[in-house]
Amino acid sequence: STHNHEQVNLESNPISRFQNYLRINTAHPTPDYAAAVNYLTAFAATIPTLQTRTLYLTTPDKPLLLITWPGSNPSLPAVLFNSHLDSVPAEPSKWLHDPFAAHLSDDGKIYARGAQDDKCTGMQYLEAIKELKSNLDYTPLRTLHISYVPDEEVGGLDGMAKFVESKEFKELNIGFVLDEGQASVNDEFRVFYADRSPWKLVIKSAGVPGHGSRMYDNSAMENLMKSVEVIMKFRENSFDLVKAGQAANSEVISVNPVYMKAGIPSPSGFVMNMQPSEVEAGFDIRLPPTAEPEFMMRRIAEEWAPAWRNMTYQITEQGSLRDYLGRPLLTATNESNPWWSVFKQAITAAGGKLAKPEILSSTTDARFMRQMGIPTLGFSPMKNTPILLHDHNELLESSVYLEGIKVYEHIIRLLSSFDGASVSEGR
Ligand SMILES: [Zn+2]
Ligand SMILES: [Zn+2]
């Protein structure tokens, strides 16, 4: 391999190792995947018996790192732990500390883009294996894989979506997957059995241009604003259900405006006395597995961006809501799924409490594995932690990070020594 291990700064303790990983800027739009893969590869090389492979499923700048801990019975389906290499951008000027400095405050908080989402899990997996190997000399029965994938934050098309379709993935014979979850604000760990489906909606309106002083019908701006009103009313109805305690955030269809593009630019800002002839707005929509996509499509075509109001629209659906038989992508969290029982036991063994399983309100690469029929749970061991993913001042307490390593030690041990599941169960 071409990796240069000498350049990598591997500290002697887990917190500094985590900080160094966080300092690698893998934020979009220019994630340094090579540096992240180099770092993880170097760390894995310090743990005996771990094998590493780098796959290039699309372009050379989008590596996918696969780390393998061979089990004593390779004929049993393997367990996969997944983590994405990339993160969303950060606006440094709005943070208390540089988002890529991984500053450790006096009260033990690590500030960094990716601290929660999800560079924590990526390093915790390896730290847990390191502990299991060095302290317990444990050998797994089932083979265990860790995947580090690119591009999760931009929809996963060049990452996990490609990986699950590859022959390399099929050869792994994965029986169960653990992927990222979300922080818990109380002392119960959260676990997720489904994601919401992400749609990007762009609506555009064309209209009659004219003098800024004139009132007339059918301007592009008026047409767009009418749609915005209708959409925000739909949003309010969803949100009211949540506020009234009738549904969880993740159980309703959410729609949030994320950008607006309008106006005629001028050196000092925008031309104020002209009404533009073309405007556009973008919305982030998330559909729970229970939603009917066809129904939503019709609503958008007829009410949100109707052609009769001079509107056009584009929906980019990123990953399907259903598997190839049309079943919603849910992983069973009852006794029908033996992996679920083992996972639950592991949390108990770690001294943890588990909240009622939830649908994740955002979206992860787990949907691609579920689409392949592989039972997949979302889990990030962060309790008593504010939910700061994609936010300014994303942070993680070092004590929470260290406790997470312990939790993964139990999870990895129980899942990889589980001998009872037939492959078809839990799917
Ligand atoms: Zn994530
Ligand atoms: Zn994210």
Side-chain angles (χ1 to χ4, degrees):
S1 100
T2 57
H3 296 303
N4 185 351
H5 296 180
E6 284 72 36
Q7 284 175 354
V8 166
N9 183 11
L10 286 173
E11 299 282 344
S12 56
N13 75 82
I15 294 298
S16 348
R17 277 194 292 266
F18 181 38
Q19 286 175 290
N20 284 344
Y21 184 42
L22 292 166
R23 285 175 186 139
I24 300 168
N25 188 335
T26 55
H28 289 283
T30 53
D32 190 351
Y33 289 136
V37 166
N38 191 17
Y39 182 73
L40 293 164
T41 304
F43 181 35
T46 68
I47 308 170
T49 74
L50 290 193
Q51 303 165 357
T52 61
R53 265 204 284 174
T54 308
L55 309 179
Y56 297 91
L57 299 171
T58 54
T59 50
D61 58 337
K62 294 186 181 182
L64 187 155
L65 177 65
L66 199 58
I67 299 183
T68 300
W69 192 10
S72 58
N73 185 349
S75 66
L76 289 173
V79 179
L80 174 68
F81 291 80
N82 182 54
S83 174
H84 57 87
L85 294 163
D86 57 326
S87 59
V88 288
E91 296 170 80
S93 66
K94 312 242 169 99
W95 286 53
L96 286 168
H97 306 282
D98 176 357
F100 302 100
H103 174 81
L104 176 61
S105 67
D106 291 340
D107 56 350
K109 295 181 170 76
I110 301 164
Y111 288 79
R113 174 56 85 221
Q116 294 192 11
D117 179 15
D118 66 341
K119 285 182 164 163
C120 49
T121 64
M123 283 301 281
Q124 283 166 323
Y125 298 152
L126 285 176
E127 296 286 356
I129 292 175
K130 184 181 167 73
E131 283 298 309
L132 287 174
K133 276 220 71 76
S134 57
N135 294 344
L136 294 170
D137 198 25
Y138 170 76
T139 302
L141 174 71
R142 287 174 195 269
T143 295
L144 199 139
H145 301 283
I146 311 177
S147 48
Y148 296 91
V149 302
D151 280 14
E152 189 277 345
E153 293 290 7
V154 291
L157 292 188
D158 283 349
M160 187 53 87
K162 280 271 169 359
F163 185 39
V164 297
E165 296 292 345
S166 69
K167 78 170 194 314
E168 286 88 350
F169 184 84
K170 275 165 202 114
E171 283 164 10
L172 299 181
N173 186 22
I174 304 296
F176 176 73
V177 182
L178 214 58
D179 200 350
E180 65 182 315
Q182 226 171 69
S184 159
V185 293
N186 56 42
D187 69 353
E188 291 181 332
F189 290 114
R190 299 169 75 194
V191 60
F192 303 89
Y193 61 91
D195 285 2
R196 288 198 297 179
S197 228
W199 286 12
K200 287 185 197 167
L201 172 68
V202 172
I203 62 176
K204 291 186 184 176
S205 101
V208 181
H211 198 285
S213 68
R214 262 187 73 213
M215 296 230 256
Y216 54 86
D217 284 324
N218 204 22
S219 79
M221 211 52 163
E222 182 194 28
N223 289 339
L224 181 76
M225 295 309 275
K226 279 186 179 160
S227 287
V228 169
E229 275 174 41
V230 174
I231 295 169
M232 293 309 276
K233 186 67 205 167
F234 177 93
R235 180 184 182 278
E236 190 183 326
N237 289 340
S238 282
F239 201 15
D240 279 349
L241 275 178
V242 174
K243 287 176 182 164
Q246 297 296 301
N249 248 310
S250 57
E251 292 168 352
V252 300
I253 298 172
S254 66
V255 50
N256 290 301
V258 288
Y259 79 82
M260 304 194 82
K261 214 158 92 184
I264 298 153
S266 81
S268 56
F270 287 93
V271 177
M272 291 302 291
N273 57 357
M274 285 176 78
Q275 302 188 46
S277 63
E278 261 179 21
V279 295
E280 116 180 31
F283 298 84
D284 179 309
I285 303 176
R286 306 285 165 129
L287 294 91
T290 48
E292 295 292 344
E294 302 75 21
F295 179 75
M296 204 58 202
M297 295 275 199
R298 212 170 48 236
R299 183 182 286 271
I300 292 167
E302 290 173 5
E303 297 174 26
W304 292 10
W308 56 263
R309 203 157 61 226
N310 265 338
M311 314 234 6
T312 56
Y313 65 92
Q314 195 183 354
I315 300 169
T316 317
E317 189 193 352
Q318 294 165 305
S320 168
L321 200 63
R322 282 151 205 281
D323 71 10
Y324 59 95
L325 292 176
R327 295 170 302 204
L329 301 173
L330 312 171
T331 294
T333 49
N334 56 38
E335 305 315 309
S336 76
N337 175 4
W339 295 105
W340 166 250
S341 313
V342 179
F343 174 78
K344 231 173 34 173
Q345 274 173 38
I347 299 299
T348 307
K353 277 180 297 194
L354 210 52
K356 193 166 158 284
E358 301 166 65
I359 296 168
L360 188 69
S361 62
S362 57
T363 313
T364 69
D365 281 337
R367 70 194 186 284
F368 298 114
M369 269 92 65
R370 293 194 184 109
Q371 222 160 4
M372 303 300 287
I374 304 172
T376 302
L377 295 175
F379 177 75
S380 298
M382 299 180 282
K383 56 183 197 184
N384 299 313
T385 298
I387 301 167
L388 292 169
L389 72 170
H390 298 205
D391 204 342
H392 300 326
N393 297 312
E394 182 176 354
L395 62 82
L396 188 58
E397 295 257 5
S398 41
S399 58
V400 172
Y401 177 77
L402 294 173
E403 193 198 344
I405 296 172
K406 293 279 156 224
V407 172
Y408 278 123
E409 285 177 44
H410 289 275
I411 292 175
I412 289 173
R413 207 139 67 97
L414 287 193
L415 287 175
S416 65
S417 62
F418 173 54
D419 63 2
S422 90
V423 198
S424 62
E425 281 173 303
R427 291 198 171 181

